[in-house]
Amino acid sequence: DNEEKILQHGGRHERYKIRVFCRIRPVNRNEAAQGGVIVVDKIDEFSVTIDTPRGQREFQFDKVFSAGASQEDLFHDTNLIQSTIDGYNVCIFAYGQTGSGKTFTMVGDKEQKNPGLMPRSFNAIFDIIRENSSKFDFKVSAYMLELYNDRLQDLFVSQAGEAHAQTQSHGQARRVEIKRNRKGVVFAQGAETKEASSAQELYALFQQACANRHISATMNVESSRSHLIVGIRVESKNLTNGSVSTGKLSLVDLAGSERAAKTGAKDHQLKQVMQDSLGGNAKTLMIVNISPSECNLDETLTSLYATRVKAITNNAQRNVESKEIAQLKEVIMKLKSGQSVEDVDV
C-alpha cells in the first residue's frame, strides 16, 4: 500500500511518500552466548521474513539492510540532504526497541569509527554548501532537544546552568514549547538556536547537547526513556535573483518502542514534534531497527507492524520566498516584537 501523491515542485511534478527502511542488527554477545536462534531473514532488497509460533510472516520495505550493511551503505541510500538544501522539510528518524541499534544507526559508536546518520549528515550539508558557494549564500543553524517524561529540555542549556540561572533570577526555567504558525509549520518556541559554519562546529554543538542529556552516564539503560531531536535549518540565498529558501532537517533518535507502546498516549509532545515531519510538507524516512533473535520476537513484530506508516503520504513543498516577502517579514517581525510568536505570521 505504498500510496503516492503527485506534488507541485516549482512547476514540476514530484512523487513523494514516506519511505521506510528496515535494518537488521547483528546478533549481540548476550544472544550469541544463549545460542540465540535467528528468526529474521532478509529475502531480497525489499522484504524480510520472521518466523513466529503461528508460522512465517513477510514484511515489505522500501529497502532492507542486513547485519552486514555498513553505515555508509545506509547513509548513501537515505539520499535526502540535497532536499534540505533545496528548501524542503526533511525528517529521518530511527524506531525500534531498546538495544535494537537505533543510536548506532543515528549517532554511531562512541569512538566515531563508524559514525551514524547524524554526523554524516553534518558533513554532507557542508560539502554541498562548499560546492555551491559561488551561487548561494548559506546560513546553517541548529537546535537540539530531548523529550524526557513528556517534557522538552533544551540541550544547549545545561541543567546545572539552568538551575543556577533560576536561583539567580528566582525565575522559571525557559520552557520550550512546540507551536504551529499560521502556515502550519511546526517549530520549537523558546529553543536556543546556534549557528554553525562548519561540520566540525555542528558536531561540537551535537557533543555539547549529548553531554547535557539525562542519560549521558549510562548510555543504554536510560536512553530508552528519552527521545533526542536534532533540528538543522539551512537558509540559502540565491546570489543571482535574491530569492531565499529555507530547509529543515530533523534527525530523531526515538526512545525504545516498547516504552512508546506501554506509555500509550502520554507522548503528545512527541506527536507535535513529529508533526511537521510526518504530516504535511516533509520528506520523511523512518528506519526500523530490529534484532534478528528469537528472544526479541514479540518486540520485533511490534516494530515491524509499525511500518504501516508507509500508507501515509506527504505533500512535500519547498519553503521558498522572494526577496521582497523576506524583507516585508523582517519589518513585520520588528513591528510585532512585543507580541507572542503566534501573532506573527511567519
Side-chain angles (χ1 to χ4, degrees), residues 16-310:
Y16 196 73
K17 62 186 172 51
I18 290 184
R19 288 188 298 158
V20 185
F21 287 177
C22 176
R23 188 181 202 185
I24 308 162
R25 71 155 164 76
V27 173
N28 66 24
R29 269 190 225 119
N30 287 354
E31 292 163 348
Q34 292 163 21
V37 177
I38 291 182
V39 291
V40 177
D41 189 26
K42 168 184 170 176
I43 49 175
D44 60 36
E45 291 293 286
F46 314 104
S47 336
V48 294
T49 56
I50 180 163
D51 299 324
T52 81
R54 293 196 282 283
Q56 198 177 64
R57 299 287 325 268
E58 189 177 314
F59 292 87
Q60 301 288 314
F61 293 92
D62 292 293
K63 192 83 199 261
V64 176
F65 295 86
S66 63
S70 70
Q71 298 279 64
E72 179 54 46
D73 294 338
L74 183 72
F75 181 70
H76 182 264
D77 281 340
T78 58
N79 201 18
L80 282 169
I81 308 303
Q82 183 66 54
S83 292
T84 305
I85 290 173
D86 291 342
Y88 283 94
N89 277 3
V90 171
C91 177
I92 303 174
F93 68 103
Y95 181 87
Q97 75 176 109
T98 302
S100 61
K102 294 187 305 294
T103 300
F104 180 72
T105 288
M106 294 307 288
V107 182
D109 54 351
K110 278 211 171 79
E111 300 75 39
Q112 288 293 294
K113 287 198 177 85
N114 291 293
L117 292 180
M118 289 179 178
R120 285 173 193 274
S121 298
F122 302 164
N123 287 328
I125 285 170
F126 284 98
D127 286 347
I128 297 172
I129 284 175
R130 258 195 310 277
E131 287 160 22
N132 294 281
S133 58
S134 60
K135 300 190 272 302
F136 292 89
D137 259 345
F138 291 97
K139 188 173 131 188
V140 177
S141 56
Y143 61 83
M144 302 193 187
L145 309 171
E146 176 187 41
L147 181 57
Y148 184 78
N149 292 340
D150 213 27
R151 192 199 148 119
L152 278 168
Q153 165 77 27
D154 189 334
L155 293 176
F156 286 153
V157 181
S158 77
Q159 282 146 20
E162 187 79 312
H164 177 70
Q166 274 182 66
T167 50
Q168 294 298 310
S169 63
H170 311 290
Q172 264 301 301
R174 254 196 332 179
R175 280 195 72 83
V176 179
E177 289 179 280
I178 299 300
K179 299 275 186 186
R180 286 184 89 117
N181 67 14
R182 287 182 196 161
K183 276 193 185 159
V185 175
V186 178
F187 61 101
Q189 185 183 328
E192 193 164 320
T193 54
K194 297 198 172 185
E195 272 189 53
S197 53
S198 69
Q200 289 73 19
E201 260 178 53
L202 198 46
Y203 188 70
L205 287 175
F206 175 68
Q207 284 182 302
Q208 177 195 333
C210 289
N212 286 335
R213 278 181 89 181
H214 278 88
I215 58 145
S216 43
T218 47
M219 199 54 197
N220 224 11
V221 186
E222 287 291 304
S223 67
S224 55
R225 306 205 336 253
S226 132
H227 308 281
L228 172 67
I229 299 143
V230 172
I232 301 163
R233 267 173 65 104
V234 180
E235 206 175 280
S236 62
K237 184 180 174 185
N238 184 318
L239 296 173
T240 316
N241 63 16
S243 73
V244 176
S245 73
T246 308
K248 188 173 98 181
L249 173 63
S250 302
L251 297 162
V252 185
D253 186 7
L254 288 178
S257 53
E258 72 286 349
R259 284 294 187 311
K262 285 172 190 157
T263 54
K266 238 180 62 190
D267 260 350
H268 69 276
Q269 286 270 41
L270 180 69
K271 215 160 121 195
Q272 280 181 298
V273 170
M274 302 298 280
Q275 221 157 22
D276 76 327
S277 315
L278 289 178
N281 66 350
K283 295 190 171 193
T284 301
L285 170 63
M286 171 181 181
I287 302 165
V288 179
N289 295 261
I290 57 172
S291 149
S293 303
E294 188 178 34
C295 57
N296 292 311
L297 177 70
D298 292 346
E299 295 291 1
T300 299
L301 272 173
T302 305
S303 295
L304 290 171
Y305 278 121
T307 60
R308 289 172 175 172
V309 73
K310 275 167 59 167

